[in-house]
Amino acid sequence: MTETIRENPLGYVEPKKLLRQFAIPSIVAMLVTNLYNLIDQVFIGWRVGMLGNAATNVAFPLTTICFSISLLIGIGSASRFGLELGRRNPEIAKKTVGNAIIISVIAGFVLAVVAETFMVPMLHGFGTTEDVLPYAMTYVKITAYGFPCLIVGVVMSNLIRADGSPKYSMICMLIGSIVNTILDPLFMFGLGMGMEGAAWATVISQFASFVVTIVYFRNMKQVKLTRDAFQPDLRLIATNLSYGLSNCLTQLGILVVQISFNHSLIFYGAQSIYGSNIPLTAFGVMMKINGIVFGFFIGISQGSQPIYSFNYGAAKYDRVKAVYRQAAKLCLILGLIATIAYEVFPRQLMGMFGTGTELYFQFAVWMMRTFLCMTIFAGIQLISSNFFAAIAMPWKGVILSMCRQVIFMLPILYILPRFLGIQGLGYCGPIVDLLSFVICILLIRREFKRMDRQAAAA
């Protein structure tokens, strides 16, 4: 085991090459995952209509909760796994994997039961209208069955990547996406199942990904799982979860913003010429489109994580900084491309998701151009937050997450619309993205200087 750890390529392969090896599979996996969410929107938009798309927007906070739990466990455990391998502690790394599997299974079933039991009050809390509620109930009642597979699958894919198998992690996600893409038109159009068809396609695809991930853990590269790895260790679990806290809080912050935005879109939309349903639908579709761009950012972030963790644990700080700089450069380039697309082709992008009135497209085009005009900086906050989690400084990651999602966004969200009406909601995005970018740069520069001092003292 000591020999395996010493020869781990994370510690000696050129950083730029490593980032390509780990980030590209993660990006592909995230893009395909977001793509099948978009495909859901496309098929629902053309088969069910605007209210169907609004229903998935209202139901999406439950998916966000799933991902927040998944990242809390998955990123936290993957970070600890990499750190312990770098420190040459294979037994702790092994127990980290076993305990992550146990807690993710429990979390998945608990969330499914909660969603089924409190579905109606939760959907009202998420901002549904009476017109949208029946569609949302149909969708959530079925997709809740897939929550255990979704959470366990995401957790395991992070651990598979940390074990040095990014391509296999990608395959796990691809399998689900392919299954969903095939079943969506079959169920919705071929069998005429509408919203139920979209929901069942999602659940079955999540189960398929889950099965593929299970196979991997019989033969891990860096550790061999034995029965003692699955003995619950509450102290170990608590520490591991702290490493994933910033990613979890990022998702929970997104959840709070989603719910707040849904209520604001309904409230201020009702006071405008657009009504309540047009803003609710348009904003949901827009954020699904932006999810493709964030798929790149998340893929880069997840691909970087095992490299950060291993090299930080091995005190190879120059390699840590080199990988971050490459990741940040990629995010800025991709963010610029996305920003240009949102400004030049908003009508075409929104038009892919079904028909709508001219009033609908008027609002959708304005909102996309305004809310997403600072997307160029959005990826830096995400990779910086994950960077601190990966090097065992979760609270700095938490600060970055909270700055964007809570400290900056919520006050601006409640202040601007009071003076500018529904247009105030559009200006929230660029203001928050710019402020968050500044905070990230300040914290990262400070951390790099600290690493330089540690290297000099060694």
Side-chain angles (χ1 to χ4, degrees):
M1 180 56 64
T2 301
E3 186 70 19
T4 301
I5 293 172
R6 188 174 68 247
E7 295 182 357
N8 193 317
L10 292 173
Y12 64 83
V13 174
E14 197 267 326
K16 186 181 293 187
K17 182 178 179 181
L18 267 181
L19 185 59
R20 287 198 302 269
Q21 290 176 347
F22 278 76
I24 290 175
S26 298
I27 290 171
V28 172
M30 291 306 305
L31 285 180
V32 174
T33 300
N34 283 292
L35 185 60
Y36 84 69
N37 285 330
L38 280 179
I39 289 172
D40 270 348
Q41 292 288 153
V42 170
F43 286 129
I44 289 171
W46 288 103
R47 177 67 176 82
V48 182
M50 187 177 74
L51 293 180
N53 274 334
T56 60
N57 181 28
V58 169
F60 197 69
L62 280 169
T63 302
T64 304
I65 293 172
C66 282
F67 275 106
S68 69
I69 295 171
S70 301
L71 295 178
L72 176 68
I73 304 169
I75 294 294
S77 299
S79 297
R80 181 68 179 276
F81 182 81
L83 286 166
E84 297 303 337
L85 289 179
R87 294 165 179 163
R88 302 174 183 258
N89 294 323
E91 288 301 316
I92 299 178
K94 180 176 69 174
K95 291 189 69 175
T96 293
V97 176
N99 278 259
I101 293 174
I102 292 172
I103 194 168
S104 61
V105 170
I106 295 172
F109 280 105
V110 169
L111 182 59
V113 171
V114 170
E116 292 286 355
T117 305
F118 302 104
M119 184 188 310
V120 174
M122 289 177 76
L123 290 174
H124 279 296
F126 295 157
T128 188
T129 65
E130 291 305 316
D131 293 333
V132 173
L133 182 61
Y135 297 94
M137 288 179 63
T138 298
Y139 190 75
V140 171
K141 185 175 182 180
I142 297 170
T143 54
Y145 297 144
F147 289 169
C149 290
L150 175 59
I151 292 175
V152 175
V154 174
V155 170
M156 289 181 172
S157 69
N158 279 281
L159 288 167
I160 290 170
R161 189 182 306 110
D163 192 48
S165 300
K167 290 183 180 179
Y168 194 97
S169 178
M170 175 188 71
I171 290 171
C172 295
M173 306 296 286
L174 285 176
I175 293 294
S177 302
I178 293 169
V179 170
N180 188 81
T181 303
I182 294 171
L183 295 182
D184 251 339
L186 175 63
F187 288 174
M188 294 184 70
F189 292 93
L191 300 179
M193 296 173 67
M195 290 295 290
E196 291 185 359
W200 279 116
T202 298
V203 171
I204 294 172
S205 67
Q206 290 165 352
F207 179 75
S209 291
F210 165 77
V211 171
V212 177
T213 60
I214 289 292
V215 174
Y216 180 87
F217 283 87
R218 298 179 61 184
N219 296 288
M220 295 187 70
K221 289 182 178 181
Q222 302 299 327
V223 297
K224 181 176 177 60
L225 291 182
T226 53
R227 183 174 298 178
D228 61 303
F230 295 91
Q231 292 179 353
D233 186 331
L234 296 182
R235 181 175 298 179
L236 179 73
I237 290 172
T239 302
N240 294 350
L241 294 184
S242 73
Y243 293 161
L245 191 59
S246 64
N247 290 271
C248 174
L249 290 178
T250 296
Q251 292 295 315
L252 292 178
I254 292 171
L255 171 66
V256 172
V257 171
Q258 284 175 337
I259 295 172
S260 300
F261 254 98
N262 285 347
H263 285 287
S264 297
L265 289 164
I266 293 170
F267 180 78
Y268 291 105
Q271 300 176 17
S272 71
I273 60 174
Y274 304 111
S276 298
N277 289 327
I278 284 178
L280 187 65
T281 303
F283 190 81
V285 172
M286 181 190 76
M287 295 311 290
K288 289 289 180 67
I289 295 172
N290 196 43
I292 290 290
V293 178
F294 267 77
F296 280 98
F297 298 154
I298 294 171
I300 294 169
S301 178
Q302 291 183 346
S304 305
Q305 177 269 318
I307 311 174
Y308 295 146
S309 296
F310 184 90
N311 285 285
Y312 190 84
K316 298 180 178 181
Y317 303 124
D318 285 342
R319 292 175 62 81
V320 175
K321 292 188 293 182
V323 172
Y324 177 86
R325 290 190 180 105
Q326 289 294 323
K329 181 179 178 180
L330 282 173
C331 285
L332 287 171
I333 293 171
L334 293 168
L336 176 61
I337 294 171
T339 302
I340 293 171
Y342 295 150
E343 297 301 315
V344 178
F345 305 111
R347 175 75 182 239
Q348 292 85 342
L349 290 170
M350 297 297 294
M352 293 189 302
F353 298 88
T355 58
T357 64
E358 189 58 36
L359 201 60
Y360 167 81
F361 283 108
Q362 177 184 322
F363 177 82
V365 167
W366 179 86
M367 179 60 82
M368 176 172 279
R369 282 178 170 161
T370 306
F371 192 85
L372 300 179
C373 70
M374 288 292 175
T375 301
I376 182 174
F377 298 129
I380 299 299
Q381 185 273 332
L382 197 151
I383 67 164
S384 299
S385 176
N386 195 45
F387 169 80
F388 285 112
I391 63 172
M393 295 183 181
W395 288 106
K396 290 185 179 180
V398 169
I399 291 171
L400 291 181
S401 299
M402 290 298 96
C403 278
R404 188 184 192 281
Q405 303 299 342
V406 177
I407 298 172
F408 293 151
M409 179 63 86
L410 289 182
I412 294 172
L413 172 61
Y414 285 106
I415 292 171
L416 284 186
R418 291 180 179 272
F419 298 96
L420 302 175
I422 198 165
Q423 281 76 21
L425 297 176
Y427 297 121
C428 293
I431 294 173
V432 168
D433 284 337
L434 187 57
L435 290 173
S436 300
F437 174 74
V438 172
I439 297 298
C440 286
I441 295 301
L442 293 175
L443 284 179
I444 289 295
R445 287 184 63 184
R446 183 177 179 182
E447 181 56 34
F448 278 14
K449 289 179 180 179
R450 191 189 67 82
M451 287 186 187
D452 290 339
R453 291 195 298 270
Q454 283 188 318

